[in-house]
Amino acid sequence: MRKIARKISMLLVVALLAVSMVACTSDEIALIEALAKTSKITSYEGNTKVQLSFKGKGFSEDTQKAMDFLASYLDGFTLVANQKYSSNEERSKAKIAMDGNLSMQGLSVNYGYWLDTDITGEKPKMIHIVELPPAITQPVFTANQIESKKYITIDYGALLGGEDLGMSFDLKSLTKDSVELQEMLLDFFKTAAKDFDPGMVAVTKKGSAVTDKGESVTEYELKLNDESAKKLLHAFINDFILQEDTIEFGKKYMEAAVNMYDFPEEEKQVALNEINQGLDVFATQLPVYRDSVTQVFEAIKDIQFFGEKGLTVKYYINKDGYFVGEKSTVEFEIRLADFAALLGNVIDEEEKNGVIYFTMDFENSVYNVNQEVSVEIPEVTEENSFDIFNNILTEAPSIGFNSGIGIVGSPSFELPALSDGINVVMNGKVVSFPDVKPENINGRVLVPIRTISEEMGAEVSYNAETKQVLIVKEDIEILLTLGSQEAYVNGELVMLDVPANVIEGRTMVPLRFVSENMDAKVEWDGNAKIVYIYY
């Protein structure tokens, strides 16, 4: 039952977000026109933030445990993204750079993403680049028996440009045709929206506003509660989707889509005939489908989906007619007792008092529209990157693009042997501490200085008179004094949370401080008690 409720809820919100762009008033038409214009932007910078809250209560003991488990991941989930985008007008060359942070369960993960596309030349370029913390990527590297890499890539250009693929693609034409299809769809929405009357006002123009970047904009607001959301969605399905004009547009759209690909004309015609016949049969049943939809909405009229806040979306359009911002909140409140009245014995008696609360807050701002935006793509090499296609899909015995490859058994590998307590994994290899193990002191992991420094290629010396430890790696010098929170990096004073100290006869130093000052990246997996170091 929980799955049914969630599916219905997600269908409602996705459909309503689409419906918000299709209605009859001038305000709603203005939004559609802004959407069409924004789709042609060639460069921008932007910031996005998504926050979730989740809670389930009133369920049976077992189900409540499952709800609490979901809440531990979803409640407080936050995603922050900063984007840069630049392309030519034909979309045949484009670059995207994104960095941000994901917070969940008290853990914070920084990430980077880049896309570099250029299909203007003979050899297409289409590469996705991802940078994630070693704590996340290390299992992939371990499974493939390779050392840690800074980047994970998916090089579609190399795949599509390969000679052994067995098929040909004209990516330049595909890109052009895709843009035309998008414009075709938006034109249909604009035309059909003028005649669409849901019997209510979905979007209102609120007036002038100023973005966080200081840009003057016009604010529009979509606001729906449970009753109005159902009314709008019902009208959208019956009076917009299930109409003869939409069926005819579907035929034209599918014909344009089929013509994008280099198939023999005879095969294209066969495919189009089948599509048209199917749509013609569907069209004869439109009255029946509309009646069925009406019956469904009548059956769920007393079932609550939205919470008190409902769905609120604020759109911001600048003087040039582009979307430059959005703030939205959608709040679900699913009561299983409502579904029990509809579905009867499908829901267990002990679950009928269960309630699910789920809220999503979304903010997005766009600026420097169609201005010069510099998008830097990192240089990837075999030494610093791991390509999914090259290393997994084309080489794994049970996965591949070459005919005749089957499941014949994967090569064996051994996971790194972990010891009890805290472990340190450096560039994919577990660091061995033969006598004194790493210790967590006041939230900081301390490790034997000589072991960790030598693993990173540094030299260590100790002055017994001053009780000072000197770590030297290339042009970096780190000076620590036992028992003191003062440390020096290339002569500059840095205060430590926890000082270096002697434990069981070994000089122990703060691992993160030493590693990061030797230009390494450090990630802490608190659940597994593993420190991942990459340099």
Side-chain angles (χ1 to χ4, degrees):
M1 188 58 235
R2 295 191 303 275
K3 292 182 179 179
I4 294 174
R6 184 174 179 180
K7 286 181 179 178
I8 292 175
S9 302
M10 291 307 297
L11 284 172
L12 275 173
V13 70
V14 170
L16 285 168
L17 289 175
V19 171
S20 69
M21 294 297 181
V22 185
C24 63
T25 71
S26 60
D27 291 340
E28 283 123 3
I29 296 298
L31 283 186
I32 297 173
E33 291 176 345
L35 177 65
K37 189 169 185 179
T38 301
S39 69
K40 299 178 182 180
I41 287 176
T42 57
S43 64
Y44 70 88
E45 295 183 63
N47 308 111
T48 301
K49 185 176 183 179
V50 180
Q51 290 182 295
L52 306 180
S53 66
F54 179 91
K55 180 175 67 175
K57 70 175 187 178
F59 293 92
S60 65
E61 183 178 353
D62 289 343
T63 304
Q64 190 61 52
K65 288 180 180 178
M67 288 293 164
D68 293 343
F69 176 78
L70 282 175
S72 69
Y73 284 91
L74 294 179
D75 195 45
F77 174 96
T78 303
L79 176 68
V80 176
N82 309 301
Q83 314 103 28
K84 289 184 177 182
Y85 170 80
S86 179
S87 76
N88 59 4
E89 292 186 2
E90 296 79 16
R91 318 286 175 84
S92 55
K93 293 178 68 174
K95 291 182 178 182
I96 297 174
M98 183 187 302
D99 65 78
N101 177 271
L102 185 153
S103 299
M104 178 176 61
Q105 248 194 350
L107 299 176
S108 181
V109 175
N110 295 321
Y111 66 88
Y113 168 79
W114 300 266
L115 171 64
D116 191 5
T117 301
D118 184 352
I119 56 175
T120 58
E122 293 184 3
K123 186 175 181 180
K125 177 197 288 187
M126 192 184 300
I127 182 169
H128 298 262
I129 305 169
V130 178
E131 182 181 9
L132 294 169
I136 296 176
T137 59
Q138 192 56 53
V140 177
F141 299 136
T142 301
N144 288 274
Q145 297 179 284
I146 62 173
E147 292 187 357
S148 294
K149 304 288 185 179
K150 187 174 184 179
Y151 304 111
I152 293 178
T153 64
I154 303 177
D155 193 347
Y156 287 105
L159 174 68
L160 296 176
E163 299 178 356
D164 300 326
L165 193 60
M167 61 185 75
S168 61
F169 291 89
D170 186 346
L171 292 178
K172 196 180 300 184
S173 295
L174 281 176
T175 300
K176 178 177 178 293
D177 292 340
S178 296
V179 172
E180 291 176 355
L181 274 179
Q182 183 184 51
E183 293 175 351
M184 180 181 179
L185 184 62
L186 286 171
D187 286 342
F188 171 72
F189 266 69
K190 284 194 291 185
T191 302
K194 295 176 182 178
D195 299 322
F196 176 60
D197 183 7
M200 58 179 287
V201 175
V203 176
T204 56
K205 183 178 179 179
K206 306 298 288 186
S208 300
V210 178
T211 68
D212 56 357
K213 301 296 181 182
E215 184 175 13
S216 297
V217 294
T218 302
E219 177 183 325
Y220 294 82
E221 182 181 69
L222 165 73
K223 193 172 183 64
L224 298 171
N225 58 22
D226 209 70
E227 181 182 355
S228 60
K230 291 172 186 171
K231 182 178 181 180
L232 180 58
L233 185 57
H234 184 188
F236 176 70
I237 296 173
N238 272 5
D239 302 336
F240 188 89
I241 299 297
L242 298 179
Q243 293 294 320
E244 288 77 5
D245 288 347
T246 305
I247 299 298
E248 290 304 311
F249 170 76
K251 291 180 180 180
K252 296 177 182 178
Y253 187 88
M254 292 306 300
E255 181 178 3
V258 169
N259 285 328
M260 286 173 59
Y261 299 95
D262 188 18
F263 296 137
E265 286 299 322
E266 188 174 322
E267 293 183 17
K268 286 184 182 179
Q269 197 56 53
V270 170
L272 288 173
N273 288 339
E274 292 180 357
I275 291 170
N276 289 337
Q277 288 173 10
L279 290 174
D280 286 339
V281 172
F282 183 82
T284 63
Q285 299 298 310
L286 285 177
V288 176
Y289 295 141
R290 288 194 287 263
D291 286 343
S292 297
V293 169
T294 298
Q295 292 174 24
V296 169
F297 276 91
E298 179 64 26
I300 66 172
K301 67 178 182 180
D302 295 325
I303 295 179
Q304 179 175 335
F305 292 96
F306 286 137
E308 184 177 341
K309 294 180 181 178
L311 172 67
T312 302
V313 185
K314 294 183 178 181
Y315 302 99
Y316 302 97
I317 300 176
N318 69 4
K319 61 181 179 60
D320 297 319
Y322 296 112
F323 275 112
V324 293
E326 177 185 339
K327 291 182 180 179
S328 62
T329 296
V330 58
E331 180 183 76
F332 292 104
E333 186 175 324
I334 310 295
R335 298 179 178 275
L336 266 65
D338 293 345
F339 287 92
L342 176 66
L343 301 175
N345 296 328
V346 174
I347 301 177
D348 294 338
E349 190 67 33
E350 58 183 353
E351 308 289 4
K352 289 184 180 180
N353 292 325
V355 185
I356 297 173
Y357 304 90
F358 178 75
T359 302
M360 180 176 72
D361 294 309
F362 175 87
E363 292 185 29
N364 182 56
S365 65
V366 174
Y367 51 97
N368 289 340
V369 174
N370 290 339
Q371 303 298 311
E372 184 175 346
V373 174
S374 177
V375 181
E376 299 295 330
I377 304 294
E379 181 181 359
V380 292
T381 64
E382 290 185 3
E383 288 71 31
N384 70 4
S385 66
F386 173 89
D387 188 75
I388 297 292
F389 282 143
N390 286 342
N391 292 281
I392 296 180
L393 300 182
T394 59
E395 293 183 3
S398 58
I399 309 173
F401 297 101
N402 297 325
S403 60
I405 293 181
I407 301 175
V408 294
S410 299
S412 61
F413 64 89
E414 294 183 2
L415 291 171
L418 301 178
S419 60
D420 293 335
I422 298 173
N423 285 270
V424 177
V425 177
M426 185 179 297
N427 288 347
K429 297 179 180 179
V430 177
V431 178
S432 175
F433 299 94
D435 40 27
V436 180
K437 307 298 183 184
E439 290 198 19
N440 191 328
I441 298 178
N442 296 332
R444 296 296 180 186
V445 175
L446 271 64
V447 295
I449 179 58
R450 191 167 298 278
T451 301
I452 201 68
S453 296
E454 290 179 351
E455 285 283 346
M456 299 183 71
E459 295 181 359
V460 181
S461 60
Y462 177 65
N463 187 322
E465 291 184 6
T466 60
K467 294 184 179 180
Q468 289 183 321
V469 180
L470 179 64
I471 306 167
V472 179
K473 182 181 180 183
E474 298 174 354
D475 58 348
I476 299 171
E477 289 189 358
I478 302 172
L479 183 66
L480 304 101
T481 302
L482 297 184
S484 173
Q485 289 182 273
E486 293 185 355
Y488 291 86
V489 179
N490 287 345
E492 293 187 10
L493 175 64
V494 180
M495 298 303 296
L496 302 173
D497 295 330
V498 177
N501 224 320
V502 176
I503 299 177
E504 297 181 24
R506 293 292 184 186
T507 301
M508 306 284 281
V509 296
L511 176 59
R512 180 181 291 276
F513 171 77
V514 171
S515 300
E516 290 184 341
N517 279 288
M518 288 196 287
D519 295 329
K521 287 195 173 183
V522 181
E523 296 292 337
W524 166 245
D525 185 339
N527 293 328
K529 293 184 179 179
I530 300 175
V531 181
Y532 292 94
I533 300 175
Y534 171 81
Y535 68 92

